[in-house]
Amino acid sequence: MIERLDKVLASQNIGSRKEVGHLIRKGIVTVNGIVVKKADMKVNGELDKICVNGAALQFKRYLYLMMNKPAGILSASRDNLCQTVLNLLPQTYQRRGLFPAGRLDRDTEGLLIITNDGIFAHKMLAPKSNIDKVYHAKLNVPVTAEDIVRFAQGVVINGLHCLPASLESFEKNNEPWARITVCEGKFHQVKRMLAACGKIVLYLERVKIGNLELDTDLKRGQVRELTIEEKDAILHK
Ligand code: URA
């Protein structure tokens, strides 16, 4: 894509449009080895070799980040009152256009994808893509065989039919937990499906989307870039 040089530099977090304009006029930006002093010069970020102060720009049009979301933070781009997942991003990933692809409740933890690629996010979230999301829930009481059947048949919440989902029971520290796999993302879906079976979710964590598992080396609140393979794994079952 052909764009203005200052726009390309600003999109890569080199500085604001005003700041990069200043760098360009100072003569420290080169394009294919030639000093460029015009901020509106047209360049191709993918093909042209752009250097700032001698350092080559590692141009990436799209960012795909995995966050291990902590509780207490909103899955939103910005909010006047509460901290959002974008507020947690380190400076190197502060870029225009990033947003959380799909939401976790404020008290839910775990795997969240943050990107600036709207087409990818749409593919990941569109119901027809059928991408599985896997959650671990700590419950007040263990799930029953009937709950498992209800999930498999599709739970009905106040007349709203959910698609068939998988429910497995397990124990952790002698407490009742469940592993839930859903391919939709209705509002509070997991909590409401379990509530329809008379279960209260005491804690909820997302551990997998498609074939991508949460990297347990990431501490709560930390992010890292996905590899190409990991990004592709999201869209494959
Ligand atoms: N379902 C819920 O109930 N909450 C979440 O955060 C995600 C799925």
Side-chain angles (χ1 to χ4, degrees):
M1 190 194 283
I2 305 293
E3 289 168 293
R4 288 173 59 119
L5 177 59
D6 56 353
K7 191 168 173 211
V8 167
L9 291 174
S11 77
Q12 302 300 297
N13 202 27
I14 299 298
S16 65
R17 280 285 270 275
K18 196 169 162 198
E19 287 161 349
V20 300
H22 187 66
L23 298 178
I24 294 166
R25 281 188 297 279
K26 259 171 70 182
I28 60 167
V29 176
T30 58
V31 177
N32 301 324
I34 296 164
V35 173
V36 170
K37 291 198 171 182
K38 285 192 160 172
D40 65 354
M41 180 187 173
K42 299 291 186 293
V43 293
N44 183 327
E46 266 108 10
L47 299 179
D48 289 318
K49 184 171 182 208
I50 303 170
C51 295
V52 180
N53 239 341
L57 185 72
Q58 303 300 322
F59 181 83
K60 282 182 200 156
R61 183 164 303 283
Y62 296 119
L63 266 185
Y64 304 92
L65 303 173
M66 173 195 291
M67 174 177 278
N68 185 349
K69 179 191 171 297
I73 305 290
L74 282 189
S75 301
S77 298
R78 70 182 72 82
D79 188 87
N80 289 337
L81 298 175
C82 299
Q83 243 201 336
T84 71
V85 289
L86 293 195
N87 297 140
L88 298 186
L89 296 181
Q91 179 56 32
T92 44
Y93 293 134
Q94 297 282 353
R95 290 219 197 155
R96 276 164 177 246
L98 285 176
F99 59 91
R103 286 173 180 238
L104 292 177
D105 294 340
R106 191 166 161 178
D107 59 353
T108 302
E109 303 200 305
L111 178 56
L112 184 72
I113 304 301
I114 296 173
T115 183
N116 55 347
D117 184 345
I119 293 175
F120 176 80
H122 178 74
K123 274 192 204 149
M124 179 181 134
L125 299 171
K128 73 172 173 18
S129 303
N130 240 357
I131 306 292
D132 283 341
K133 288 110 193 157
V134 183
Y135 296 85
H136 285 174
K138 180 175 156 183
L139 303 175
N140 60 333
V141 287
V143 296
T144 64
E146 295 88 80
D147 299 334
I148 294 172
V149 172
R150 277 185 77 180
F151 266 61
Q153 289 174 342
V155 175
V156 182
I157 313 168
N158 297 332
L160 180 75
H161 288 255
C162 298
L163 289 174
S166 138
L167 177 64
E168 296 157 72
S169 180
F170 67 96
E171 238 185 49
K172 197 158 94 179
N173 303 326
N174 285 325
E175 288 168 322
W177 284 72
R179 182 178 169 93
I180 305 102
T181 306
V182 291
C183 63
E184 310 171 275
K186 298 192 202 307
F187 191 53
H188 301 316
Q189 179 158 3
V190 171
K191 290 175 189 163
R192 288 163 75 209
M193 285 168 84
L194 284 158
C197 299
K199 310 291 175 294
I200 299 172
V201 173
L202 304 175
Y203 172 81
L204 189 62
E205 178 184 32
R206 182 156 64 194
V207 295
K208 194 172 174 189
I209 303 175
N211 258 336
L212 178 73
E213 303 212 16
L214 175 65
D215 179 349
T216 49
D217 285 342
L218 275 183
K219 296 195 175 64
R220 299 286 184 211
Q222 283 187 334
V223 284
R224 70 160 173 82
E225 277 183 62
L226 294 178
T227 63
I228 294 169
E229 293 75 24
E230 286 175 326
K231 179 204 149 205
D232 290 345
I234 292 178
L235 301 183
H236 293 104
K237 302 190 115 200

